[in-house]
Amino acid sequence: MFSVTALGEVLIDFTDSGISANGMKLFERNPGGAPANVLVALQKLGHKTAFIGKVGADMHGKFLRKTIEENGIDCTGLISDPNFFTTLAFVALDENGDRSFSFARKPGADTQLAEADLPTDVIASSKVFHVGSLSLTDEPARSATVAALKIAKNAGAVMSYDPNYRDSLWTSAEAASEQMRSIMPYMNLVKISAEECPLVTDFDKPEEAAQALLDEGVSVVVVTLDADGAYVATKDGAGIVESFRVDAVDTTGAGDSFWGGFLAAYVESGKAPADVTFEDAAGFALFGNAVASLCVRTRGAIPAMPERPAVEALLAELS
């Protein structure tokens, strides 16, 4: 049984790494992709996970497979396709460690995952099934995502969703909104950013957006608020769980590390989504904030995911 299985993109983050002696911008190759980042965070916290996706049969795809395998993630569902190139993301960092993205993905291998590629036994053996929205941008990955959601739901998995909106990968904000909302009826646990509120609901404010998703049947909604923490909402209450104040070196993977920590704490609670109280969810978010605060102190996403003892030591400082 896997604690969490995730479907979606695993890619290369070429992260801004200064200027060369010749005055040219340097980029550092880091493994990334939101669903894969979440799984590495969970593995570091002691959970068994599996990944479903597609990379190219190229140098970057081989590097990503090696990275995922070295982190202990089950790769039964990771396909290497010689017909498509591994997706690349170029990540520029500003003076605050915040990011802007440029993608090489026309098409990227991650968009070519097909329904026939799905490992149904892995999906059906998962306590939590997690997806983002980038697998909804193109076919055949869009149909494969929906098929996987149906398999997971029928198998009784808890459904987790982080849209992870990247505007340059969609033809328009309207197209993104339509697809991002299309799979919400499957979901039990949802994490969105403040920017994504009007994309997945009809509301701009986190409080109103969260309530709208609860009204649609989601059990737990988290709206991340960057340095201000996370707004957490359940049927019995809502409020902000403050973040840990740190000097961020690189915010790549911050939201993914948070959600990995949140899902770890959720799985360990043993609760059904409908039974999660606000107090429970706030505790999950606190754990996620601790994971994220350690992640952003180091460059990259996957390489920066913290081990459980470091997270527990940080939390112990608060008690």
Side-chain angles (χ1 to χ4, degrees), residues 146-147 149-151 153 157-160 182-189:
V146 174
L149 291 172
K150 291 177 179 177
I151 294 167
K153 195 77 169 181
V158 173
M159 311 296 275
S160 165
S182 70
I183 62 172
M184 197 64 76
Y186 289 96
M187 299 306 164
N188 305 117
L189 313 174

Side-chain angles (χ1 to χ4, degrees), residues 54-69:
K54 184 171 282 193
V55 294
D58 49 47
M59 62 183 292
H60 299 308
K62 292 175 183 176
F63 167 66
L64 290 170
R65 179 179 291 277
K66 183 173 183 287
T67 299
I68 291 176
E69 289 176 344

Side-chain angles (χ1 to χ4, degrees), residues 65-141:
R65 179 179 291 277
K66 183 173 183 287
T67 299
I68 291 176
E69 289 176 344
E70 287 178 345
N71 278 280
I73 298 168
D74 184 281
C75 288
T76 301
L78 177 59
I79 309 297
S80 296
D81 192 328
N83 298 311
F84 301 97
F85 201 73
T86 300
T87 296
L88 309 177
F90 294 84
V91 188
L93 301 174
D94 66 17
E95 62 274 9
N96 298 318
D98 292 324
R99 308 155 294 157
S100 60
F101 293 86
S102 179
F103 290 90
R105 189 185 187 237
K106 295 183 178 180
D110 67 294
T111 68
Q112 300 305 302
L113 183 73
E115 185 173 349
D117 297 323
L118 298 175
T120 56
D121 55 337
V122 172
I123 298 171
S125 299
S126 307
K127 294 177 183 177
V128 176
F129 188 71
H130 174 72
V131 297
S133 71
L134 298 195
S135 60
L136 301 175
T137 59
D138 299 274
E139 291 289 2

Side-chain angles (χ1 to χ4, degrees), residues 226-250:
D226 297 326
D228 293 326
Y231 180 80
V232 179
T234 67
K235 63 181 182 296
D236 74 325
I240 292 177
V241 179
E242 293 185 359
S243 64
F244 294 75
R245 301 292 176 174
V246 298
D247 293 325
V249 173
D250 181 2

